[in-house]
Amino acid sequence: MLSIFSRSDLSCGASTVDDDEGREGPAATDPVRTFFRSMAAYQVQPSSNLLFRQLFEKDSSTYTYLLADLSLPEKPAVLIDPVQTTVDRDVSIINDLGVKLLYAMNTHVHADHVTGTGLLKTKLPGVKSLISKASGAKADVFVNPGDTIQFGTFSLEVRATPGHTKGCVTYVTAEGLNQPHPRMAFTGDALLVRGCGRTDFQGGDALELYRSVHSQIFSLPKDTLLYPAHDYKGHTVTTVGEELLYNPRLTKDQDGFKKIMDNLNLAYPKMIDIAVPANMVCGIQDPVAASAV
């Protein structure tokens, strides 16, 4: 069974590329070394009982993550940041692997794609949508900082990481003998590989994002695997240690970071006027009507 507990219940010079999410990445000085370092981290087997899949949606360069506990007969699972256009793919994988999806959950209200949570609920009865209470969006379950999302013997801690949007959270695997090691953190758009999400809309705040990342993500062990919601240059994963050394924005002090973020001059996100209103209501206004389509 899956349950949620609140905390009280538990006693470099670089060429850059910018995108809708405001990711900025330095050109690698040693691309071969960078590639193998990234792949070495990606190939770590966190736990023999943890099923982990990183899935990709090409139009918005969004990563969706499937995690399940294989030690239990029903194989309880969660799906992080699903995209509406790839729901059929996700459902197929879930059915093929024989896992029981309990939660379809978002790290925040996305502006570059429509979430798949509402549509997933029509195709997999019993699935609950989940998002932070601070997001202001509709969902079946709302989480707050310090809450724990349990799926079988595994759990994800909710850490508030606002700044890209006011409701951003990062989901972090637990510590413990039978938990994934290294730990894993799903950072949404708060922290990207060698970058971060933009802070000029949806209640964004550069200094808040800086404090969020440094206090809630960079405080994790240096070998913690960081999985972003997006990547535009082929990266799949990074670590706390790497980003502390190589992130061209977040290695600056607060004033330097704010200056960078205030001068990105990014284009208006092309999907924002469609995606944000839809994502405030779980991706679709009327799940019953959508299931009949």
Side-chain angles (χ1 to χ4, degrees):
M1 294 191 53
L2 182 148
S3 55
I4 293 183
F5 302 94
S6 67
R7 179 172 292 163
S8 60
D9 292 329
L10 299 172
S11 309
C12 23
S15 62
T16 61
V17 175
D18 285 308
D19 46 71
D20 278 356
E21 294 302 331
R23 181 187 183 279
E24 178 184 59
T29 56
D30 185 350
V32 174
R33 183 178 180 183
T34 299
F35 172 79
F36 282 109
R37 182 175 62 232
S38 176
M39 289 306 294
Y42 180 61
Q43 292 173 353
V44 169
Q45 180 60 43
S47 167
S48 59
N49 291 324
L50 178 68
L51 181 146
F52 173 63
R53 294 290 184 273
Q54 183 180 41
L55 307 167
F56 187 69
E57 190 280 314
K58 62 181 178 61
D59 291 333
S60 60
S61 297
T62 299
Y63 284 124
T64 297
Y65 299 97
L66 176 66
L67 295 85
D69 184 354
L70 300 181
S71 71
L72 300 177
E74 65 178 4
K75 302 176 184 175
V78 296
L79 192 68
I80 300 172
D81 286 335
V83 180
Q84 190 177 70
T85 56
T86 49
V87 160
D88 286 342
R89 175 205 65 188
D90 298 344
V91 170
S92 178
I93 291 171
I94 287 165
N95 289 335
D96 287 348
L97 297 176
V99 303
K100 181 180 180 181
L101 186 62
L102 301 175
Y103 277 175
M105 47 203 282
N106 283 294
T107 53
H108 64 291
V109 173
H110 294 271
D112 60 353
H113 67 268
V114 176
T115 180
T117 53
L119 189 56
L120 279 162
K121 290 176 57 177
T122 70
K123 295 177 178 288
L124 297 170
V127 174
K128 294 182 178 181
S129 58
L130 181 151
I131 200 167
S132 73
K133 186 175 182 180
S135 70
K138 292 184 178 180
D140 297 314
V141 177
F142 301 104
V143 291
N144 293 298
D147 286 353
T148 299
I149 304 162
Q150 195 84 25
F151 58 106
T153 62
F154 298 110
S155 63
L156 294 169
E157 175 195 351
V158 179
R159 294 195 174 201
T161 49
H164 170 61
T165 74
K166 64 181 180 179
C168 287
V169 295
T170 291
Y171 300 115
V172 185
T173 58
E175 296 180 283
L177 183 63
N178 297 315
Q179 298 301 311
H181 183 78
R183 295 177 75 181
M184 308 162 74
F186 301 91
T187 59
D189 294 359
L191 179 65
L192 307 177
V193 181
R194 307 298 190 267
C196 63
R198 62 195 293 175
T199 58
D200 58 335
F201 62 86
Q202 289 182 270
D205 183 287
L207 292 181
E208 188 173 40
L209 179 60
Y210 186 92
R211 291 190 290 267
S212 293
V213 172
H214 278 266
S215 66
Q216 300 299 316
I217 300 175
F218 284 173
S219 60
L220 291 163
K222 290 185 178 180
D223 64 350
T224 301
L225 301 173
L226 305 178
Y227 293 96
H230 303 281
D231 191 85
Y232 308 89
K233 297 180 72 175
H235 298 288
T236 57
V237 64
T238 185
T239 66
V240 169
E242 282 188 38
E243 295 307 308
L244 281 168
L245 290 173
Y246 304 122
N247 192 295
R249 296 178 182 175
L250 288 154
T251 51
K252 304 290 192 293
D253 61 19
Q254 289 192 60
D255 290 340
F257 178 76
K258 187 176 187 305
K259 183 176 181 180
I260 291 171
M261 301 306 291
D262 287 348
N263 290 280
L264 290 178
N265 298 315
L266 298 174
Y268 189 73
K270 58 182 178 293
M271 278 288 292
I272 189 171
D273 292 331
I274 297 171
V276 170
N279 291 337
M280 292 297 290
V281 291
C282 207
I284 49 178
Q285 291 276 4
D286 187 353
V288 174
S291 65
V293 175

